Amino acid sequence: MFNDKLKEECGVFGVYNLEGKDVSPTIYYGLLALQHRGQESCGIAVSDTFSNSYNINSVKDMGLVNNVFNKENLSSLKGNIGVGHVRYSTTGASVRENAQPLVLNYMKGTLALSHNGNLINLEELSHELKKSGSIFYTNIDSEVIASCIAKERVLSSSIEEAVCKTMKKIEGAYSIVVMSPRKLIGLRDPYGFKPLCIGKKDNSYIFSSESSALDNIGAEFIRDVEPGEVVTISSKGIESNKENMIDKNLQGRCVFEYIYFSRVDSFIDGVSVYDARVKSGEYLAKQSFVDADIVTGVPDSGNAAAIGYAKESGIPYRVVFVKNNYIGRTFIKPDPNERTSAVQMKLNVLKNIVKDKRIVLVDDSIVRGTTSNQIISMLKDAGAREVHMRISSPPFLYPCYFGIDVPSRKELIASSHTKEEIRKIIGADSLDYLNTDNLSHLVNDLGICKGCFTGDYPIKNIKGKQKKLVR
Amino acid sequence: MFNDKLKEECGVFGVYNLEGKDVSPTIYYGLLALQHRGQESCGIAVSDTFSNSYNINSVKDMGLVNNVFNKENLSSLKGNIGVGHVRYSTTGASVRENAQPLVLNYMKGTLALSHNGNLINLEELSHELKKSGSIFYTNIDSEVIASCIAKERVLSSSIEEAVCKTMKKIEGAYSIVVMSPRKLIGLRDPYGFKPLCIGKKDNSYIFSSESSALDNIGAEFIRDVEPGEVVTISSKGIESNKENMIDKNLQGRCVFEYIYFSRVDSFIDGVSVYDARVKSGEYLAKQSFVDADIVTGVPDSGNAAAIGYAKESGIPYRVVFVKNNYIGRTFIKPDPNERTSAVQMKLNVLKNIVKDKRIVLVDDSIVRGTTSNQIISMLKDAGAREVHMRISSPPFLYPCYFGIDVPSRKELIASSHTKEEIRKIIGADSLDYLNTDNLSHLVNDLGICKGCFTGDYPIKNIKGKQKKLVR
Amino acid sequence: MFNDKLKEECGVFGVYNLEGKDVSPTIYYGLLALQHRGQESCGIAVSDTFSNSYNINSVKDMGLVNNVFNKENLSSLKGNIGVGHVRYSTTGASVRENAQPLVLNYMKGTLALSHNGNLINLEELSHELKKSGSIFYTNIDSEVIASCIAKERVLSSSIEEAVCKTMKKIEGAYSIVVMSPRKLIGLRDPYGFKPLCIGKKDNSYIFSSESSALDNIGAEFIRDVEPGEVVTISSKGIESNKENMIDKNLQGRCVFEYIYFSRVDSFIDGVSVYDARVKSGEYLAKQSFVDADIVTGVPDSGNAAAIGYAKESGIPYRVVFVKNNYIGRTFIKPDPNERTSAVQMKLNVLKNIVKDKRIVLVDDSIVRGTTSNQIISMLKDAGAREVHMRISSPPFLYPCYFGIDVPSRKELIASSHTKEEIRKIIGADSLDYLNTDNLSHLVNDLGICKGCFTGDYPIKNIKGKQKKLVR
Amino acid sequence: MFNDKLKEECGVFGVYNLEGKDVSPTIYYGLLALQHRGQESCGIAVSDTFSNSYNINSVKDMGLVNNVFNKENLSSLKGNIGVGHVRYSTTGASVRENAQPLVLNYMKGTLALSHNGNLINLEELSHELKKSGSIFYTNIDSEVIASCIAKERVLSSSIEEAVCKTMKKIEGAYSIVVMSPRKLIGLRDPYGFKPLCIGKKDNSYIFSSESSALDNIGAEFIRDVEPGEVVTISSKGIESNKENMIDKNLQGRCVFEYIYFSRVDSFIDGVSVYDARVKSGEYLAKQSFVDADIVTGVPDSGNAAAIGYAKESGIPYRVVFVKNNYIGRTFIKPDPNERTSAVQMKLNVLKNIVKDKRIVLVDDSIVRGTTSNQIISMLKDAGAREVHMRISSPPFLYPCYFGIDVPSRKELIASSHTKEEIRKIIGADSLDYLNTDNLSHLVNDLGICKGCFTGDYPIKNIKGKQKKLVR
């Protein structure tokens, strides 16, 4: 809802209907349900395993799912197997050419690929491929991954084998759905940075970045693709290859998927995002109780943590913000000289509730601090006596190499200010963050990546491989 | 959010900047904040009281405020006085020609007009005007009102006088902002069906359908325009004419403005919409208590009433629905043969919270019953043990002549089914509605229209004047 | 083809199919054939005389016929009677609201109107109507004409009678097609400034600005509507009212319809436009012979006159220019600092033919002189030894009040320069214009308007009525 | 102008400005002048040799030059070196992905490529590249050519060397402009199927498919790129490599470039297209004289040949057709049940000229025969006594493998009917074609390809290499 937020990279979705029914409508609804993971471009590619043709048809363009797809182009996508993608760019410019799924021809015919994540050895790989004559059209990871698969396919006996070999070459975060004209393959990097799960509806198998999209389309959740696993769906049913899996202790799920990116109704690797957020609020309350009249969350991502804080602290939870759901992407920003702010246009305060109250305000993170400052001002203008800010994640101090788009170090308020300085800047009466130690407890002690909080990443020697730092 | 809802007609907005600053950005933000009152078309018309020209420039088109306006056309609207409009059509087709504000030339120069409401003697008036040679381009009330004003203006000494005379001729619901090149006039019908209030920001006076729009743009709420009042803003400041006001007891505010149409953070005639909704929940709990584990509301309009129910009943309030904010106007509806429903795409249930619970589900109204049925199914599918539906308004039984777009009698479930039949249709374990007697108490005993619940309207003899019934 | 040209105002088209077939396709093709008469906006309005409904449906917008109409909106226009319009604005801004046909409701139902021409007593009429309370939305003549008809209709026994009465009030140039839900009426002002003819195809009667449009749609030319005549088509067939006709000697056809505006394959009032142009070239050759090797015309309007000059002089006619047909409306003009000109992009010279030749170059008029200068330069650059310019009309010296859009006096080269000065400016070796005396002979001595050449207009006392002069 | 015509594949354009000025405007005007060579998609790619960056920026899309480019995107294309392309697809679907110039990254940085022509060993080459792991996004020749260049570049010391090596691998028709970030390279296949010439304007060198585009932008024609030549423009000026040139007698220019595709004002390999067409008419008159009153051409491509026929036969040439220039790409075709035809909408006949005349009608080719039939009908309907059809090329009997899009054999009238049968079908009083023997004389005995007339192609053993036949 606010620009002053961390940005997720992408969402992937894939469907294989064993009975031959068209899957493009299901993918369309799946992408709509994953839209929060990427709003720059989107696309669907389909193939028909029952025809003699090995063609892949696709529609992709800049824009939201609602804008790119219409009845006409959706019904032109005939086929019982398909992949979809929603994209927000971290690497690669925001241009039409970079829209996914990538669709290409190679030795064995055609291939489509949707990717969520960020490689750290991209330049190395790309350089090597070019030395043997490869050409690339885009500057996105996905094209290099596809080229690797195509190259491995020449010496492999199946597309799955080529995919498994490719996993040994690419390093970083990736949840991918690959479609050959007869197979649908879902894979997840060995660290499990990004989520990917499997669902089923009637005679369709489904891959989805998030389980909530399965709910929205009326599908049943089967299980998560495991970190390092390659799951292949074909006319023979479902098969799994686990040769690239690593020790569970080395896994490094992105903790922001729980705290902010994923929808609150998703489950990732067995953990409810809602529960993780509620717990974060509970830990915050234990860690940093403050006497107040009401607890509230910054909509929408702060709400569940606020409920947790309320539960633990005994202070009543109240909704105090009213959102304007009509502020769209083309919203013209207010003149900075005017006193009207974009935040004020998006949120209003229920004055009756706020007046004369001491408020605990819970949010998931502070990036630049500007939004927090405006929201706290609004509460004070509406008569709040005190506003105590509680953040349901630790301070964001280090670059993310795995797909979170973070502003430059200079803009990142926590990397250049003390907690007290930040408190003053945002105008809060007190401020506290969740302790790093509590992070793993939120997710039942699953292996997570704490790199952005501690500088200690699941993959070592990143610096040598990766020239791109935080921008 | 759901199609199966009552529809509001319009929102109006007007600004007069006494210092000569351009008002089009302020109107743009005002219309964004009123967008929930009409999503079919919108427009802005401006004039410059400091120039020698008496021109009015306007931009209007089909679509949302975000789509119709861009930096380029907004900055082309120069002038320190202006009116805006968002429209949902009840009378008049949904075509570009019917977009408002209406802009026209007449004897004294130019005029712009934005209107919210519905006249009941439209045909009578229109016939009379045509008999003297008038031509009309549209089939909307507003054009007839403008023609009346133009005709009265010939024999009046001022535009205000013409407006006051016109009010004696037109009957029905109207909140109007009229702009002549030098004056901005806000008026409200004597019954006060539709809201209209006055705000101030720096050196600008503002008319707005709702006070929440004043909050969003950082303006101060001054007061409501009173039912029957004509408020004129000119270089001389603010003036009021009250010759058309009627006895307070005869007033007939639309109660649905409180229950559903207006944003929850608005105040109308001194009553907080939020408070009115919380009270409706409290009355419901008193009236129709049921033993349950949690109370929740159908987002977003049922939430405040659910909070009231929880408060009065002592049963804890929980948020159990997660919305998809990306389902837009061009959303392709799921094939009815598929098990995926549009409601399911828009809402998902937090299973952890719902499982094995007895739930009180509060909504503002039941129109066709289809949405209620789907939502209750979703709760049951997620493991809810019981679902008790409580509606924060009485059954909708009679046509509305004053601007609510109601489906035909046949589609209106309450007019053809008993409460028990409806309960079965929607699949609830119990069902109850708010009593009609309690309605006035929600709004501190202000005069309200209960026509749609009782068939007894503030204006008598409607049938003779109005041929259009509920469609 | 060139911007430096006089501009025509509009084209009108109407069809009545007696058998009940949809006429919108025929009108679409008719408007395409009249597109040269107006490229700013266009529209079609239809009605169904066989239904019980008296509705008029219309589609109109800014843009070319090809852009505004598509299969979908064209097939939505159901009805066996209709009017169309293509517009270039002389009065009234170039905005969507001014697109025609005008469609309106009045005492007797609905009315649609398409108009070509320009009234001279517009302000007078408009003032009078406003005094009785009329409102206007646009600033175009057509709305005032429609209002007059509506007003007269109140006291008339038929729409034809109201039209005839209106003709007594409006002064100036007008060829109009009016559609009531059951009748189609074509009328032409008493002076016959603008053309209008009647055609027939199968069971359809057709009104068209030009006869060439009848050819294009495969219709038969019946006759011209006579100056001052009102022709009514109804289920009873065709009827004529001639009460507003004036003495033939007073008629004042616009001679530029023959020289430039109308398509060369049209016939107006019995005279072939092609023949009139060939004659103009023959007269020029008689008047102003020059010894040369070839004669050529500036495409396309100068070609027929060049053929006439060649015929009379005995000098061979050659095509020497090649046009680029892909320079459209959105063509980005070359930077004036570059040596590439827009004319050069639109035309190229066949060097083989031009090299070392003495050339007679014929064009229809010189407005600003810039295009002529560029074309003569191109010929000289391609090796032409001499270029003798011959213009097939007299110098344009006075304003036109009847619908030609002329640049301001300052820009009009002939009104501020002698022939010798112009010759130098355009870079010709000699220059001559057609004599005014010869004009009538081009059109078989029909009454014509020579106002722009002589200042003597068919309607007297224009100055008193008309405030708008040449801009 | 007519759909029933042979279709050209593409036009290419490239500019190198040695002083560092932006070339995108020049390319825009160049593409506008080449638009007749391809109307499906177009694009421009630029680079800046004076910057440290090696980036290539591009804009390309479906549509005409006028539609794809606007001031905004054109001015975003900064750089002093660039290539452009207009495309009509013969191989490769008509989709956005196939729009050119192709822009790609490879070992040495970036590359852009515009291609006109058709390879005959495409599948062979593509298969070989894929075997080493290459991936392709499109199904167009140009991508394979680019991949070959990238692959050769690995083992070459310069881009020119890689281009020369690539020419030894690719077989078929190609005129190509390649841009590396510092060089602009124009090359033409050894047979010279497609034209390509060099021009100069101020400090810019230019490659263009046709010389007429140089005239339109005010550039000077330098010379043609010779068949088999590689011309490189860099900061060092112009260099030529001729290692791939073959014996002049083996060359095989496409004779339809002279007869129909190229603009009449172009010169190809020293021969004026206009002169070649006039000569074709002269030969036709010698070959097949008929006594008649006038000679005319089917616009526009038949006109020059008609002038030649008139010259040789002594029968006067007359323009008898008037075109409608407003029939665009989105033109809705008339219902085939109606008597109005698309040809009739596009052309009208000057009846005065045609009436009672015996006419020689000259056209460049007969594809399906439908257009010829309609045009002859129009002349007869307008009163022509006799119509004698003369075609300025031999009958089209065999497939073209080099870039002409011919309809299937079944639709190609000449391959399944005798001359007498065709005469009857088109309704002519007599019919004749140009003799194949005369073809070379039209172009001063340059080596030409007569494959489509005789089945004897400049490249032998085509069948073994090329699976695609005439569709």
Side-chain angles (χ1 to χ4, degrees), chain B residues 61 96 103 105 136-137 143, chain C residues 61 103 105 136-137 143:
Chain B
D61 213 333
R96 209 158 61 190
V103 180
N105 306 308
F136 295 109
Y137 285 147
E143 197 181 12
Chain C
D61 212 332
V103 179
N105 307 310
F136 295 109
Y137 285 148
E143 198 181 11

Side-chain angles (χ1 to χ4, degrees), chain C residues 404-434:
Chain C
I404 301 182
D405 185 40
V406 244
S408 73
R409 200 117 189 192
K410 235 173 48 194
E411 291 175 279
L412 209 55
I413 196 171
S415 64
S416 50
H417 296 81
T418 65
K419 197 160 78 177
E420 175 57 15
E421 286 169 349
I422 298 172
R423 186 196 65 74
K424 279 186 187 153
I425 288 168
I426 65 175
D429 294 283
S430 77
L431 165 66
D432 208 1
Y433 291 87
L434 187 72

Side-chain angles (χ1 to χ4, degrees), chain D residues 34-51:
Chain D
L34 295 175
Q35 185 82 78
H36 59 285
R37 296 184 71 84
Q39 290 113 48
E40 285 195 351
S41 66
C42 59
I44 296 176
V46 296
S47 187
D48 184 351
T49 68
F50 286 82
S51 82

Side-chain angles (χ1 to χ4, degrees), chain D residues 186-188 194-198 207 223-231 269:
Chain D
L187 58 140
R188 205 172 157 198
K194 299 290 169 190
L196 186 66
C197 68
I198 312 172
F207 289 115
R223 67 172 178 91
D224 291 280
V225 174
E226 289 185 64
E229 190 185 6
V230 175
V231 175
D269 291 337

Side-chain angles (χ1 to χ4, degrees), chain B residues 11 20 55 148 164 187 194 200 202 236 257 262 273 316 320 397 404 406-407 418 430 439 445 450 453 461:
Chain B
N55 277 343
C148 283
C164 291
L187 58 140
K194 300 290 167 188
K200 199 162 187 305
D202 305 324
K236 289 180 276 181
E257 288 286 344
S262 288
V273 172
V320 310
L397 296 167
I404 301 183
V406 244
T418 65
S430 76
L439 281 176
D445 299 312
K450 304 179 181 176
F453 310 126
N461 296 323

Side-chain angles (χ1 to χ4, degrees), chain B residues 160-374:
Chain B
E160 302 93 292
E161 190 185 323
V163 164
C164 291
K165 285 180 182 169
T166 296
M167 286 176 76
K168 296 180 207 316
K169 300 207 162 175
I170 60 180
E171 281 188 272
Y174 53 87
S175 283
I176 294 174
V177 184
V178 177
M179 172 177 70
S180 78
R182 296 292 181 264
K183 286 175 183 169
L184 194 69
I185 301 170
L187 58 140
R188 204 171 158 199
D189 69 71
Y191 301 91
F193 285 105
K194 300 290 167 188
L196 186 65
C197 68
I198 312 173
K200 199 162 187 305
K201 185 184 178 188
D202 305 324
N203 269 294
S204 288
Y205 281 101
I206 299 163
F207 289 115
S208 173
S209 283
E210 292 188 34
S211 68
S212 56
L214 299 175
D215 296 339
N216 279 132
I217 63 166
E220 179 193 354
F221 172 83
I222 303 288
R223 66 172 179 90
D224 292 281
V225 174
E226 290 185 63
E229 189 185 7
V230 176
V231 175
T232 304
I233 299 161
S234 68
S235 58
K236 289 180 276 181
I238 197 163
E239 285 170 299
S240 165
N241 175 309
K242 303 194 170 182
E243 70 185 63
N244 288 305
M245 285 176 66
I246 59 171
D247 188 292
K248 292 211 169 190
N249 297 325
L250 299 175
Q251 291 176 354
R253 284 161 196 81
C254 174
V255 78
F256 267 104
E257 288 286 344
Y258 293 95
I259 290 171
Y260 172 61
F261 294 140
S262 288
R263 245 171 56 188
V264 73
D265 47 338
S266 283
F267 288 74
I268 307 172
D269 291 336
V271 174
S272 151
V273 172
Y274 181 82
D275 288 350
R277 291 189 191 171
V278 170
K279 265 193 207 171
S280 72
E282 290 170 357
Y283 277 106
L284 263 178
K286 278 182 207 161
Q287 224 187 270
S288 180
F289 175 82
V290 62
D291 195 22
D293 303 307
I294 58 174
V295 180
T296 197
V298 176
D300 292 332
S301 51
N303 286 342
I307 287 166
Y309 195 101
K311 214 166 142 189
E312 179 66 27
S313 66
I315 304 168
Y317 170 76
R318 289 287 178 271
V319 172
V320 310
F321 296 104
V322 178
K323 290 195 301 173
N324 183 341
N325 289 320
Y326 295 100
I327 306 291
R329 294 156 61 81
T330 54
F331 171 61
I332 305 167
K333 300 291 168 298
D335 184 324
N337 299 324
E338 293 292 318
R339 286 183 311 156
T340 315
S341 72
V343 171
Q344 197 175 17
M345 280 304 304
K346 289 174 185 171
L347 286 189
N348 193 17
V349 171
L350 287 167
K351 297 191 198 67
N352 327 24
I353 297 184
V354 161
K355 193 153 191 333
D356 293 327
K357 296 289 188 346
R358 294 167 304 161
I359 300 173
V360 176
L361 177 66
V362 184
D363 202 355
D364 56 88
S365 57
I366 298 180
V367 180
R368 292 181 188 78
T370 47
T371 301
S372 306
N373 172 271
Q374 288 167 332

Side-chain angles (χ1 to χ4, degrees), chain C residues 158-173:
Chain C
S158 72
I159 178 79
E160 302 93 289
E161 189 186 325
V163 165
C164 290
K165 284 181 182 165
T166 296
M167 285 177 77
K168 296 180 206 317
K169 296 208 164 175
I170 59 180
E171 283 188 89

Side-chain angles (χ1 to χ4, degrees), chain A residues 28-29 32 66 201 215-217 265 272 274-275 324 326 328 330 332-334 340 344 348 351-353, chain B residues 28-29 32 66 201 215-217 265 272 274-275 324 326 328 330 332-334 340 344 348 351-353:
Chain A
Y28 168 77
Y29 294 115
L32 268 176
N66 258 327
K201 185 184 177 187
D215 296 339
N216 279 132
I217 63 166
D265 46 340
S272 149
Y274 181 81
D275 287 350
N324 182 341
Y326 296 100
T330 55
I332 304 168
K333 301 292 167 302
T340 314
Q344 198 174 19
N348 194 18
K351 296 192 197 67
N352 327 25
I353 297 183
Chain B
Y28 168 77
Y29 294 113
L32 267 177
N66 259 326
K201 185 184 178 188
D215 296 339
N216 279 132
I217 63 166
D265 47 338
S272 151
Y274 181 82
D275 288 350
N324 183 341
Y326 295 100
T330 54
I332 305 167
K333 300 291 168 298
T340 315
Q344 197 175 17
N348 193 17
K351 297 191 198 67
N352 327 24
I353 297 184

